[in-house]
Amino acid sequence: MRGRADVDETLQPAEIPGRLLNELYTHALDSWPEECCGLILGDRDDRYQRLVRCRNEMTQRHQKDPIAYPRNGREAYYMNEHDYLREVEKAEAEGLSVTAVYHSHVGSAVYLSQMDLQYAQSELFPFPEAKQIVVSVSERKVHGLGLFERAGRDAPFVGRPVKPLTP
Ligand SMILES: [Zn+2]
């Protein structure tokens, strides 16, 4: 396994509605200096319909068990299980599913880190079919965004740029 997955700027950008990107940026800036995380819901015809915020509980996990969780919420995310289970149940009732999982990087670039890859590729990861979105932020600024996808569970993640889709 490679150490990390970067965005290949030569690939065609993924198009995501501008309204949804704004919600994503707002969540990332609101969560600073910690990483934010959440889900994007949609269906086959319209992949990116709605964003739902989840709590990042990595800091609490780190404080309770720093050996098992050596990083805090500024450097990593751990999506609150109740949050995502509740949202998935609500989404399924409406015929939607989780099409992407997002998180932010605070003060670092847009890529999937070795830890992000381990989490996304582990048996325990709840959304193996979902794409991954990473947004890079500092205190008041969004620096970049990338979308990572793979051809199948055993295929590597490939990162592409994102451009806003305006209605
Ligand atoms: Zn990350």
Side-chain angles (χ1 to χ4, degrees):
M1 193 171 77
R2 287 183 304 164
R4 63 185 245 181
D6 288 287
V7 173
D8 181 349
E9 297 289 345
T10 65
L11 293 177
Q12 198 185 354
E15 293 190 326
I16 298 182
R19 163 190 61 78
L20 205 130
L21 292 178
N22 285 336
E23 286 182 38
L24 176 54
Y25 299 157
T26 305
H27 189 197
L29 293 169
D30 286 351
S31 304
W32 186 92
E34 298 220 325
E35 296 191 2
C36 70
C37 60
L39 309 173
I40 293 174
L41 309 177
D43 57 26
R44 255 184 134 63
D45 301 327
D46 190 0
R47 295 193 69 86
Y48 310 112
Q49 293 182 29
R50 196 189 311 157
L51 176 144
V52 289
R53 296 180 173 203
C54 294
R55 283 170 291 176
N56 174 7
E57 62 179 36
M58 192 56 107
T59 293
Q60 291 90 312
R61 282 179 179 263
H62 171 70
Q63 283 164 353
K64 271 193 207 142
D65 187 353
I67 305 220
Y69 302 98
R71 292 160 200 253
N72 65 24
R74 292 176 179 229
E75 296 174 308
Y77 77 102
Y78 194 106
M79 199 178 284
N80 180 281
E81 212 170 69
H82 298 286
D83 288 0
Y84 75 70
L85 290 174
R86 185 189 59 225
E87 294 300 338
V88 166
E89 196 173 317
K90 277 175 18 192
E92 282 172 355
E94 294 176 65
L96 299 176
S97 62
V98 175
T99 52
V101 177
Y102 70 87
H103 75 282
S104 60
H105 282 176
V106 174
S108 66
V110 175
Y111 60 91
L112 287 179
S113 68
Q114 190 168 13
M115 219 172 47
D116 293 332
L117 288 169
Q118 275 169 5
Y119 185 36
Q121 289 164 341
S122 79
E123 288 298 316
L124 295 173
F125 191 73
F127 313 109
E129 310 295 326
K131 299 175 195 291
Q132 300 266 338
I133 295 172
V134 176
V135 57
S136 159
V137 291
S138 54
E139 185 172 359
R140 289 190 190 83
K141 195 170 181 295
V142 173
H143 295 279
L145 179 75
L147 180 132
F148 300 82
E149 55 195 340
R150 55 185 174 173
R153 279 201 84 143
D154 298 320
F157 276 96
V158 173
R160 61 175 65 229
V162 173
K163 86 173 194 199
L165 181 69
T166 43

